[in-house]
Amino acid sequence: MSGDGRPGDRPEGAVPEETAPEDAAPEGAVPEETAPEETAPEGAVPEDAVPEDAAPEPRNDVPESPAEPVAARATPPRRRRSSLVAASLIAVLTVLLGFAIAVQVRSTDTGEALEGVREEDLIGILDDLDAQEERLRAQIADQRADLRELSDSDSQAAAALEDATSRADSLAILNGTVAAEGPGLVVTIRDPEGQVRVADLLDAVQELRGAGAETMQIDGVRIGVSTAVTGTPGALRIDGRPVEAPYEVVVIGSAQDLRTAMSIPGGVVDRVGRQGGSVDIEQRDRVVVDALRPLDEPQYAQPDPGD
């Protein structure tokens, strides 16, 4: 084999580079400058004319085209949430529709079942329903009564406390341990000659109590259940405290009744007048009895344990 470069001297089977056909390219190789199909020159060889063994194999490392279908891309999160909400609404509506159909079917079945029942049986069913309704009404009434009782428990306790307080105030007024006010009289017994006796003052207290006097005081001394009038004319004492004429009696009660009791014939006014004295009675819409007396402590009496 000679090296002068003549064609006859080349190795057998060698092909010159400039005359090598395109179909002789190695299998799988892609030509560097391949013209697109739409720009192929006139007279180009069709694709079906190229042998199958010379077609280039597809490459796996080629990036996807920007014109990739939308369905192939990932679904956005907002669209997925909308799909879930729609599916949930459809499920809820399906359940509600099924419930309504079931109720309708049951109602239809009940009506059809009652169509074949005898009149006597229908009357019995109606009576049972009426009895059940009465029982339910009675239970409702009992429950409402219990509810009212529970609701009124606080009001009843408050009312009981108010009543107890009122009773305590009344007893305190009668015992003379609290001040009191109200309509009544102011009676002034004058004794210029010093002849008014213990009995005259006691009669005045008894007449006023009998006429409905609720509480009173004489010369600043509160009159109670155990009040005692002692002394001699001109030197009288009430519960050990000396009092002097004119004796002022302040009393609370019905003013008209009290005045009538003091003015009856042979009463206090007449007796004081026969002894040289006089009695002035003044009726008022409001008088104040503010003298207090200590509460007497029982020395022998004790509460009954049986009460």
Side-chain angles (χ1 to χ4, degrees):
M1 184 177 59
S2 60
D4 52 2
R6 291 179 300 176
D9 296 334
R10 294 176 181 176
E12 185 179 358
V15 180
E17 293 179 2
E18 64 275 8
T19 60
E22 293 179 2
D23 54 357
E27 184 177 359
V30 179
E32 294 180 359
E33 294 180 0
T34 303
E37 293 182 1
E38 61 272 14
T39 59
E42 185 178 358
V45 180
E47 292 181 1
D48 54 355
V50 180
E52 292 182 359
D53 55 353
E57 294 182 1
R59 296 177 60 183
N60 296 331
D61 57 347
V62 177
E64 296 181 356
S65 173
E68 182 183 5
V70 177
R73 300 177 184 176
T75 304
R78 182 177 299 176
R79 182 170 297 178
R80 288 201 300 271
R81 287 196 298 269
S82 301
S83 300
L84 292 176
V85 172
S88 301
L89 292 176
I90 292 173
V92 172
L93 292 176
T94 302
V95 172
L96 292 177
L97 180 61
F99 178 75
I101 293 174
V103 172
Q104 183 67 26
V105 170
R106 177 171 293 183
S107 301
T108 304
D109 293 342
T110 303
E112 292 177 355
L114 293 177
E115 288 180 356
V117 179
R118 296 180 303 173
E119 182 178 357
E120 294 80 359
D121 296 336
L122 290 175
I123 294 175
I125 293 174
L126 183 60
D127 292 340
D128 292 340
L129 292 176
D130 292 340
Q132 185 178 3
E133 181 181 2
E134 291 296 330
R135 289 194 298 270
L136 292 176
R137 289 182 180 275
Q139 292 177 2
I140 292 174
D142 294 340
Q143 295 294 331
R144 287 179 177 176
D146 294 340
L147 180 61
R148 284 194 300 270
E149 183 177 356
L150 292 175
S151 300
D152 295 341
S153 60
D154 294 339
S155 300
Q156 292 176 356
L161 180 60
E162 183 179 358
D163 182 64
T165 303
S166 177
R167 289 176 178 271
D169 292 341
S170 299
L171 292 175
I173 291 174
L174 295 176
N175 291 329
T177 56
V178 297
E181 65 177 12
L185 300 178
V186 176
V187 180
T188 304
I189 302 174
R190 303 183 186 279
D191 184 20
E193 299 180 2
Q195 298 297 319
V196 175
R197 302 164 299 173
V198 170
D200 296 330
L201 283 183
L202 287 177
D203 288 344
V205 171
Q206 296 299 330
E207 292 289 346
L208 291 172
R209 282 179 173 173
E214 296 178 355
T215 187
M216 71 182 79
Q217 67 185 27
I218 300 175
D219 282 357
V221 179
R222 189 71 170 263
I223 304 301
V225 177
S226 60
T227 295
V229 180
T230 59
T232 58
L236 300 180
R237 292 176 177 270
I238 300 177
D239 290 336
R241 294 177 56 183
V243 292
E244 297 179 357
Y247 309 108
E248 183 183 64
V249 181
V250 181
V251 55
I252 295 177
S254 174
Q256 186 62 41
D257 294 343
L258 296 175
R259 188 183 187 94
T260 302
M262 293 292 289
S263 303
I264 60 174
V268 175
V269 175
D270 287 348
R271 287 196 297 270
V272 172
R274 288 196 298 267
Q275 297 174 13
S278 63
V279 178
D280 296 333
I281 300 175
E282 182 182 358
Q283 184 174 330
R284 296 182 183 178
D285 294 333
R286 179 181 178 274
V287 296
V288 177
V289 176
D290 54 2
L292 303 180
R293 64 181 293 117
L295 185 62
D296 297 333
E297 293 291 339
Q299 185 176 357
Y300 303 103
Q302 299 292 332
D304 186 358
D307 292 343

